[in-house]
Amino acid sequence: DFTVNVNAYTPGVPTGLTSVTGNFWVNYSWSAGANTDSFNVSVNGIWHNTTDSFIYVKSSPHGWVNISVAGYNATSQVLSDFVSQDTQIPNNPITLTNVSSSYSLFEGDTLYIDADYTDADGPEGTFETNAMGSFDSSTGVLSWKTGPKDGGVYHWYISVTDGYSTSTKDFTVTVNAYTPGIPTGLTST
């Protein structure tokens, strides 16, 4: 008589599958179950066979990475059940630039603001404002030709979004009334 211990060759399910994300990457790690010699790993449908209990994956901005990991026992040639995880690459916030907190001009002058932005993810930003004048939502250029009786203080904003985050800057525009100068060089007789 002899006894065969089948459990000694059955790989355990990997445990502790975790992920750490950064700019355009995910680093996955896990712990081996009992009787595990290696792992079968699927990353977005592409299979890897490895003895490492971690994998580094590059991805596009805002992209998703799907991983499934199973333990493998070489003696029994058996796979464990899979553990899986879906992870999205985090957003890098868009940041509005080239907008000051205040502007001052005279009636008849033109307010010109050429807003811009930075975004490590690279998607196109879309601008928005509540200011008067001509505004291009794709370039962030605001142009307002002031006229008589436009004197006063205006409180406006410009914002930009990449569809994942928004950056807004409030600003004040002071339009000073135009006062014609007193002519000089006149003499009376």
Side-chain angles (χ1 to χ4, degrees):
D1 284 336
F2 64 92
T3 302
V4 175
N5 186 351
V6 175
N7 289 335
Y9 301 108
T10 303
V13 177
T15 60
L17 177 59
T18 60
S19 61
V20 176
T21 58
N23 275 343
F24 321 126
W25 56 265
V26 181
N27 193 17
Y28 288 101
S29 61
W30 58 88
S31 297
N35 307 313
T36 298
D37 299 317
S38 62
F39 303 97
N40 283 18
V41 180
S42 172
V43 177
N44 293 337
I46 299 172
W47 287 97
H48 307 269
N49 295 316
T50 181
T51 56
D52 296 329
S53 59
F54 60 88
I55 193 165
Y56 174 84
V57 181
K58 290 183 181 180
S59 186
S60 61
H62 313 116
W64 283 91
V65 178
N66 170 274
I67 187 170
S68 296
V69 181
Y72 179 75
N73 182 285
T75 303
S76 64
Q77 298 184 1
V78 172
L79 281 176
S80 72
D81 287 336
F82 284 88
V83 292
S84 298
Q85 188 177 98
D86 293 325
T87 307
Q88 186 176 24
I89 301 297
N91 180 56
N92 288 294
I94 194 166
T95 303
L96 185 67
T97 61
N98 294 348
V99 179
S100 297
S101 59
S102 65
Y103 298 87
S104 181
L105 58 154
F106 287 95
E107 289 176 342
D109 290 344
T110 299
L111 173 68
Y112 182 84
I113 300 173
D114 186 1
D116 203 357
Y117 64 91
T118 58
D119 189 350
D121 297 337
E124 293 295 317
T126 302
F127 294 92
E128 180 181 295
T129 190
N130 64 343
M132 289 193 290
S134 169
F135 185 70
D136 188 325
S137 63
S138 61
T139 65
V141 172
L142 169 67
S143 180
W144 177 42
K145 172 70 172 159
T146 64
K149 300 187 181 178
D150 280 335
V153 178
Y154 301 85
H155 301 281
W156 293 328
Y157 72 85
I158 292 179
S159 67
V160 64
T161 183
D162 63 0
Y164 297 91
S165 64
T166 301
S167 179
T168 301
K169 178 78 174 195
D170 294 318
F171 61 97
T172 301
V173 176
T174 303
V175 179
N176 300 292
Y178 176 75
T179 307
I182 300 173
T184 59
L186 295 178
T187 59
S188 64
T189 55

